[in-house]
Amino acid sequence: MRRVDLPAPLPAGSRILHIGLPKTGTSALQASFHAARAELGRRGVDYVSRGANPLSAARFAAGTASGDTTRLERRWDRLAEDFRTSGAAHVVLSSEGFSGAAPDRVSWIGDQLGGEATVVVTLRPVAALLPSIWQQALRRGGLESFEDWLAGVLDPAHPHAANIARYDPAAIIASWGRRFGEERLVFVCGDPSDPADRMLNHRAFESLLGIEGVLELQPVLNSSPPYPEIEMLRHFNLANGRRGEEGELWTRVLRRTARRMGDAPPSGAGTAKVRVPRWAAERINEQARASIAALEASAATVVGDPAHLLVDPADHPVETTAPGQVTVASAGWFADTVARLAVDEVDERAARKVRRLERKVARLTAARRATTSLDEASARDLIRALARRARSRSRREG
């Protein structure tokens, strides 16, 4: 391991692939890149994605996208081509969607992007991330309480353990390091308790690109709802029980409701946040020590101190109890928001169907016109041919 305060600038022609991880400041970093496109371009940096985060295309590349992926494949092909062929001095591609790739997909991603790239990984203490990861599961229709979910996540033999496997630096070194080279891996380990480290991700990327003062914090709303309100969401899932196409509709509604609840909590909402209990913090620290050892034994560059992956168990409650009630105001806001968003979702779905039907009718109409025109043209040609034959026969007979 080569530990530095900030990495050395990369040479001209370098390409940077930022693979997240989720909930490690990725949205803030991507928003800063997106907002600074013009100035970055003037300084020879190409942030190749059209939006701040090409998440769906990255998930396709990682092999984790679901449903019909034809459109995502085309989007990924364009993105990979832009990354390969850009003539900028430095090229950057960022999405946490890449971090879910299995080893065989990592190799495929490397082949698709062409040449070599420096792979950057942003890290945070897993103990600080687990409440957000659990809440994401609830937004997708999850039913388990935080304690039950934690017990599964921290059991290596449980299917839930896959939820945090991507956060293991040893696994990242084994897969991404094998394809791109350990010496091309850069891990950024900020101190969550130090306000100055809030900008470490930004400054690390600026240092790699040889620029300064370009990436500035942008307003990004992605806060977690209070614990009572997220428990209300979980109990809605328990009462709802919808699956299939109808379940997908409600998943989208609840995802949007939870985002609004976190970014702009209703008046009278609770203030308690989800906290990892002490027993879980101690178990996570055991895994963090193994991660630190893997980093130290590697040829990767580490920006900051990997010891920041540890947490103080004394800062975590011995026991946690899920809230059993919310305010009337909060419950009313929740019911109103869910109802409005459900109506919007149904309207949007109906509008999409109408647009598809309109496009189909337009295609059929165009095809019918083309056929009609062809038939009319053929009839006119036939009449002209018969007329010429009749005139020719009349001349011969005359």
Side-chain angles (χ1 to χ4, degrees):
M1 177 184 77
R2 187 168 65 92
R3 180 180 162 188
V4 298
D5 293 329
L6 286 174
L10 294 171
S14 297
R15 281 156 168 71
I16 298 176
L17 176 63
H18 174 221
I19 65 170
L21 300 158
K23 303 297 180 183
T24 60
T26 54
S27 295
L29 181 64
Q30 291 155 356
S32 298
F33 266 109
H34 189 54
R37 282 182 183 276
E39 181 60 25
L40 288 168
R42 285 189 286 270
R43 302 199 186 199
V45 179
D46 184 4
Y47 190 63
V48 293
S49 60
R50 296 179 182 177
N53 178 11
L55 184 59
S56 57
R59 285 175 174 165
F60 168 81
T64 58
S66 58
D68 183 3
T69 60
T70 303
R71 179 175 54 85
L72 299 183
E73 184 176 10
R74 291 196 297 267
R75 188 179 301 174
W76 164 250
D77 288 342
R78 290 194 300 268
L79 191 63
E81 182 179 5
D82 290 345
F83 189 85
R84 288 192 311 267
T85 62
S86 174
H90 296 94
V91 185
V92 181
L93 174 58
S94 171
S95 180
E96 59 273 29
F98 292 114
S99 65
D104 62 323
R105 294 297 288 190
V106 171
S107 180
W108 183 82
I109 291 170
D111 295 340
Q112 287 279 299
L113 295 179
E116 301 296 336
T118 295
V119 178
V120 182
V121 187
T122 43
L123 299 175
R124 289 289 187 276
V126 172
L129 305 178
L130 287 179
S132 293
I133 299 173
W134 171 65
Q135 291 175 44
Q136 291 291 336
L138 294 185
R139 295 182 190 192
R140 295 189 296 270
L143 306 175
E144 290 181 296
S145 68
F146 186 48
E147 287 272 354
D148 291 343
W149 181 85
L150 268 181
V153 162
L154 299 178
D155 178 3
H158 196 283
H160 281 354
N163 287 321
I164 61 171
R166 68 169 66 181
Y167 291 89
D168 181 9
I172 295 171
I173 292 168
S175 57
W176 293 89
R178 181 167 55 245
R179 173 58 183 84
F180 292 89
E182 289 186 11
E183 70 284 355
R184 289 181 174 270
L185 299 185
V186 178
F187 292 88
V188 184
C189 302
D191 183 358
S193 64
D194 185 356
D197 268 18
R198 187 184 181 196
M199 291 294 292
L200 183 60
N201 288 350
H202 294 65
R203 299 302 170 240
F205 271 87
E206 286 188 337
S207 185
L208 286 169
L209 297 169
I211 59 178
E212 185 176 354
V214 177
L215 299 178
E216 299 298 338
L217 283 177
Q218 304 296 314
V220 176
L221 296 177
N222 193 19
S223 302
S224 297
Y227 201 175
E229 277 63 31
I230 201 68
E231 267 295 299
M232 178 167 56
L233 176 63
R234 184 175 75 87
H235 280 273
F236 182 89
N237 289 342
L238 289 168
N240 187 7
R242 292 177 171 88
R243 294 294 182 266
E245 184 177 355
E246 189 178 2
E248 293 176 5
L249 182 150
W250 281 105
T251 296
R252 290 193 293 272
V253 169
L254 294 182
R255 188 181 297 123
R256 295 167 64 184
T257 301
R259 178 176 285 276
R260 292 190 182 185
M261 190 186 296
D263 294 340
S267 175
T271 58
K273 294 293 185 180
V274 184
R275 297 285 310 280
V276 169
R278 188 169 300 176
W279 67 266
E282 292 172 345
R283 193 177 301 180
I284 294 165
N285 272 352
E286 295 175 6
Q287 299 177 1
R289 292 187 184 94
S291 297
I292 294 170
L295 289 171
E296 291 175 341
S298 74
T301 297
V302 176
V303 180
D305 189 351
H308 292 151
L309 299 178
L310 298 168
V311 297
D312 185 356
D315 292 338
H316 293 262
V318 176
E319 296 181 358
T320 58
T321 303
Q325 59 185 19
V326 296
T327 65
V328 173
S330 186
W333 178 93
F334 182 83
D336 178 70
T337 302
V338 168
R340 290 176 182 273
L341 290 177
V343 171
D344 290 346
E345 189 67 38
V346 171
D347 287 346
E348 290 173 11
R349 176 180 293 186
R352 287 195 296 270
K353 288 182 178 179
V354 169
R355 287 194 294 270
R356 284 197 297 269
L357 287 172
E358 288 174 343
R359 289 194 295 268
K360 185 175 181 179
V361 168
R363 288 195 300 268
L364 291 173
T365 301
R368 182 177 179 181
R369 286 173 179 168
T371 302
T372 302
S373 299
L374 181 61
D375 290 344
E376 291 174 352
S378 299
R380 287 194 297 270
D381 291 341
L382 179 60
I383 292 171
R384 291 192 187 100
L386 291 173
R388 286 194 300 270
R389 184 175 300 177
R391 285 194 297 270
S392 177
R393 183 173 179 180
S394 296
R395 284 195 295 268
R396 286 198 303 271
E397 291 177 351

